[in-house]
């Protein structure tokens, strides 16, 4: 009787693991909140690493071994120009949910907009982060072609 209960419990654990949601990449954002919020940066990452590309990336770069970091910095000059630098980086993942900042692939995008409003500067920051993410994504795909 004890053996059948243990077998049933083991079967339940195995079957629940089989139907669990697949693991996701870790996305960490270390940006100036004046330019982009962390949720917005992570949403940009997820939008660019989605669909059929996600499956290809997972096969080439396993979720258990890799994660991504973004940094958007900048602000306004004395003349009122918005200056932004955005960096996207693929880094190794260690010990479950920890990332090591040892860049394997990275891309940086720069932008400036004269006489920009705060909202225009935030839009520029998001556009430059997207450019940087696309740069990393292109490098990852090109490595395997």
């Amino acid at each position: 009787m004890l053996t059948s209960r243990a077998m049933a419990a083991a079967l339940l654990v195995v079957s629940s693991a089989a139907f669990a949601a697949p693991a996701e990449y870790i996305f960490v954002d270390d940006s100036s909140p004046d330019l982009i919020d962390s949720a917005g940066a992570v949403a940009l990452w997820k939008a660019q690493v989605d669909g059929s590309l996600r499956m290809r990336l997972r096969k080439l770069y396993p979720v258990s071994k890799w994660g991504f970091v973004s940094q958007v910095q900048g602000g306004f000059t004395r003349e009122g120009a918005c200056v932004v630098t955005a960096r996207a980086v693929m880094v190794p993942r260690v010990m479950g949910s920890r990332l090591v900042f040892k860049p394997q692939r990275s891309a940086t995008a720069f932008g400036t907009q004269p006489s920009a409003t705060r909202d225009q500067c935030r839009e520029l920051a998001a556009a430059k982060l997207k450019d940087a993410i696309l740069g990393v994504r292109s490098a990852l795909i090109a490595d395997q072609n």
Side-chain angles (χ1 to χ4, degrees), residues 116-135:
T117 65
R118 183 175 183 268
D119 288 339
Q120 288 172 326
C121 195
R122 291 177 66 83
E123 289 173 13
L124 178 63
K128 292 300 142 186
L129 178 57
K130 183 177 177 181
D131 290 347
I133 292 169
L134 289 173

Side-chain angles (χ1 to χ4, degrees), residues 93-145:
R93 182 175 181 170
V94 295
M95 298 197 146
S97 64
R98 289 183 43 206
L99 299 176
V100 175
F101 196 74
K102 184 178 177 185
Q104 297 299 307
R105 293 285 177 266
S106 68
T108 304
F110 303 95
T112 185
Q113 184 172 350
S115 304
T117 65
R118 183 175 183 268
D119 288 339
Q120 288 172 326
C121 195
R122 291 177 66 83
E123 289 173 13
L124 178 63
K128 292 300 142 186
L129 178 57
K130 183 177 177 181
D131 290 347
I133 292 169
L134 289 173
V136 169
R137 189 179 84 173
S138 296
L140 295 176
I141 299 300
D143 285 349
Q144 301 305 313
N145 289 332

Side-chain angles (χ1 to χ4, degrees), residues 8 25 30 42 45 52 57 59 68 72 80 99 110-111 119 133 136:
Y25 284 112
D30 183 31
V42 169
W45 271 112
S52 62
L57 278 178
K59 190 175 185 180
F68 297 93
V72 179
L99 299 176
F110 303 95
D119 288 339
I133 292 169
V136 169

Side-chain angles (χ1 to χ4, degrees), residues 41-60:
V42 169
L44 278 173
W45 271 112
K46 289 184 177 183
Q48 299 307 313
V49 184
D50 202 7
S52 62
L53 178 66
R54 179 187 302 171
M55 298 314 254
R56 186 171 178 191
L57 278 178
R58 284 182 181 194
K59 190 175 185 180
L60 299 171

